[in-house]
Amino acid sequence: MSSAEPTEAEPTEQTGPAVREPGRTPRPAAPVPSPLPGLAESARLLADATTTSTALVADALARIEATQPTLNAFRHLRAAAALAEAAEADRRLAAGERLPLLGVPVAVKDDTDVAGLPTHFGCDGERPPVASDSEAVRRLRAAGAVVVGKTNSCELGQWPFTEGTAFGATRNPWNTAHTPGGSSGGSAAAVAAGLVPAALGSDGAGSVRIPAAWTHLVGIKPQRGRISVHPHSDAFQGLTVNGPLARTVADAALLLDAVAGAHPEDFHRPPAVRAADAARRDPGRLRIALAWRPPLTLTGAGPDPEVRRAVTVLADTLARLGHHVEEARPRYGLIGLAFVPRATVGIAEFAARHPEPALLDPRTRAALRTGTRLGGRVVRAARAREVRQHRRIGALFDASGFDVLLTPTTAAPPPRIGRFDDLSAWRTDVAMAAACPYAWPWNVLGWPGVNVPAGFTRSGLPVGAQLLGPSRSEERLIALAAQLEDDRRWFEHRPPV
């Protein structure tokens, strides 16, 4: 059976959790196979008949199983179904068919519908398998990719850590005492550890860029509407978009091209971009604004000295490459007053669909109550402010003449596992805002951003920087990220898994 564009659920052999159950003694870890090649390299090896899809998918599944007791990156595997699709991809390749990702194994986040699997979105409890693929997965399959499984996410994607009672803690391949970030932490851990060549995540307040920063990856938050979020027409009140995580700019761009495009029911339809072409293009000489001060969060947060050191070195690299880099201060204003209603109403909309609300984290239930109060007129007013926010913050590009904004992706290196345990909703929000104050304004604006690896702390923990642009500027950001990658060659560094 062809793996291109299935829409109905098919029987799968392993639709239960891939993680160990709470209280269960973990099995001894199996020997870990070598990391998989990157996305573009995998596609090239398959097209050249140097390897087979069956071999790549089998290696991915073996590596996932071997690291699951330690990294815990996956919520669900579809092992038998993926191997069957790989065998079909091999037959198609042998017959001369070529597609961008034909036979390449990839993973998607557990907020994304995959036919035949439940979509838990980090929540506890039982959910039935969904009948149809999301639009992004449909496009992945149309490009020939083999989805091997679904990666862990924190509950409803709320936090910059990937931990929960439903699945335990997902751990950072660079240091398993630390979080890989969230909410796309499972996807980031899987790619950083070489379990899959690339993966999809989603970003509603930095949830692609933050885990990319904390696992030494490239993470692209595209323009709102670039990648469909269908069956959700306007996820989290327009804050959330899907985006790729990969070890190189070229791989992230290839995945972006494969899944980009609108569903007929989508609200947002930006014109197409050619991300892979941009990754091979000289960005030209750009004016880059370097901003250290985050938007107002009432935490007094600023960058950790080691984060500031790493981002300063990256800014110096950009200047050495011929760009004009100048410190500047975006006029964020009180953008948080627009973010909070949209975020909490979005959480409330998803939480209200849960069949067993008592299983939700108390912090989720608190957000549900807040979102319910801020719905209707308040959230509509928050969304109406977006046009003025575009003008005010966009003046950095329009009036001041900058092409790109450079900021730290996070203010802090990756926290330790359990750092947010037993905190109240309010204390969690304060701690989260202090660690991650830089990413979320671009979700309010709906504009694109790219995390690039910025280096490591003295203890070996990854940190990142984000390249941010005005509306529909993905190609410029991707070209600049690729130029940085050519110079810094961050893909040569792998975690010690």
Side-chain angles (χ1 to χ4, degrees):
M1 182 182 301
S2 170
S3 62
E5 304 193 33
T7 56
E8 296 304 316
E10 299 177 8
T12 57
E13 294 73 13
Q14 186 174 342
T15 58
V19 300
R20 64 183 178 90
E21 298 170 3
R24 177 180 166 191
T25 302
R27 60 188 182 278
V32 182
S34 298
L36 265 69
L39 198 69
E41 178 68 3
S42 294
R44 185 190 66 78
L45 292 171
L46 287 166
D48 292 348
T50 305
T51 189
T52 66
S53 178
T54 299
L56 288 179
V57 170
D59 283 353
L61 293 168
R63 194 163 171 82
I64 292 165
E65 289 286 359
T67 59
Q68 192 64 20
T70 49
L71 295 184
N72 187 26
F74 279 78
R75 183 74 182 263
H76 295 284
L77 291 181
R78 50 191 311 270
L83 286 168
E85 291 168 13
E88 173 61 18
D90 286 331
R91 287 190 286 272
R92 296 165 67 187
L93 286 160
E97 185 175 353
R98 295 294 181 265
L99 292 169
L101 299 178
L102 183 54
V104 180
V106 297
V108 300
K109 184 177 175 180
D110 189 35
D111 62 346
T112 305
D113 285 353
V114 176
L117 294 179
T119 301
H120 284 101
F121 203 173
C123 297
D124 206 349
E126 296 299 319
R127 302 299 293 267
V130 300
S132 302
D133 290 330
S134 67
E135 178 66 13
V137 171
R138 187 195 71 79
R139 289 177 179 270
L140 267 181
R141 294 193 198 263
V146 177
V147 178
V148 297
K150 300 180 69 173
T151 57
N152 277 328
S153 164
C154 65
E155 191 168 285
L156 303 185
Q158 302 167 78
W159 306 305
F161 52 90
T162 303
E163 302 164 42
T165 57
F167 59 87
T170 296
R171 296 177 179 272
N172 196 319
W174 293 92
N175 184 326
T176 55
H178 291 258
T179 181
S183 61
S184 305
S187 287
V191 175
L195 313 187
V196 289
L200 274 184
S202 60
D203 190 316
S207 286
V208 163
R209 290 162 289 156
I210 291 166
W214 284 348
T215 57
H216 197 66
L217 296 177
V218 175
I220 300 177
K221 175 218 172 297
Q223 178 77 21
R224 183 184 298 150
R226 177 76 59 214
I227 301 173
S228 176
V229 293
H230 192 269
H232 310 293
S233 58
D234 195 42
F236 283 83
Q237 293 292 315
L239 296 178
T240 294
V241 299
N242 291 323
L245 292 129
R247 294 183 60 245
T248 68
V249 176
D251 283 355
L254 177 59
L255 186 56
L256 176 57
D257 280 342
V259 297
H263 184 276
E265 297 176 7
D266 285 347
F267 293 162
H268 310 287
R269 296 169 171 272
V273 296
R274 299 170 66 92
D277 288 349
R280 295 186 289 267
R281 185 186 309 150
D282 188 312
R285 187 175 186 272
L286 302 176
R287 294 193 71 233
I288 299 172
L290 170 60
W292 296 111
R293 184 172 179 177
L296 180 67
T297 59
L298 302 179
T299 65
D304 178 275
E306 294 208 77
V307 171
R308 188 174 183 115
R309 173 183 57 80
V311 176
T312 298
V313 171
L314 191 113
D316 291 342
T317 301
L318 288 166
R320 177 171 53 77
L321 291 171
H323 303 290
H324 174 82
V325 181
E326 177 184 338
E327 290 196 19
R329 184 176 294 179
R331 294 177 55 226
Y332 291 114
L334 298 178
I335 193 170
L337 296 180
F339 174 77
V340 171
R342 294 171 70 169
T344 56
V345 169
I347 293 167
E349 289 169 346
F350 275 85
R353 303 184 191 122
H354 197 285
E356 299 177 86
L359 296 178
L360 293 172
D361 188 294
R363 294 170 290 189
T364 302
R365 297 199 296 271
L368 190 159
R369 292 190 293 271
T370 301
T372 301
R373 290 195 297 269
L374 297 181
R377 186 184 311 172
V378 175
V379 76
R380 287 195 297 272
R383 297 201 65 168
R385 294 181 63 84
E386 188 176 308
V387 173
R388 280 173 285 172
Q389 290 156 349
H390 284 166
R391 287 198 298 266
R392 185 179 65 249
I393 299 172
L396 181 79
F397 306 106
D398 299 330
S400 300
F402 288 105
D403 300 297
V404 174
L405 172 64
L406 170 68
T407 79
T409 302
T410 67
R416 295 184 70 87
I417 295 288
R419 162 69 179 83
F420 300 90
D421 286 357
D422 303 320
L423 296 182
S424 67
W426 170 251
R427 288 174 60 84
T428 299
D429 288 344
V430 170
M432 181 170 63
C436 303
Y438 290 103
W440 56 268
W442 249 243
N443 296 88
V444 176
L445 301 172
W447 294 347
V450 178
N451 176 79
V452 294
F456 299 87
T457 67
R458 291 178 177 83
S459 61
L461 294 171
V463 295
Q466 51 179 358
L467 307 172
L468 303 170
S471 180
R472 304 173 182 178
S473 60
E474 287 102 323
E475 291 189 0
R476 180 190 305 160
L477 301 178
I478 288 167
L480 181 60
Q483 184 187 51
L484 268 173
E485 180 178 88
D486 286 344
D487 185 86
R488 293 173 64 89
R489 301 186 68 79
W490 50 63
F491 53 83
E492 294 178 350
H493 302 281
R494 285 184 177 271
V497 177

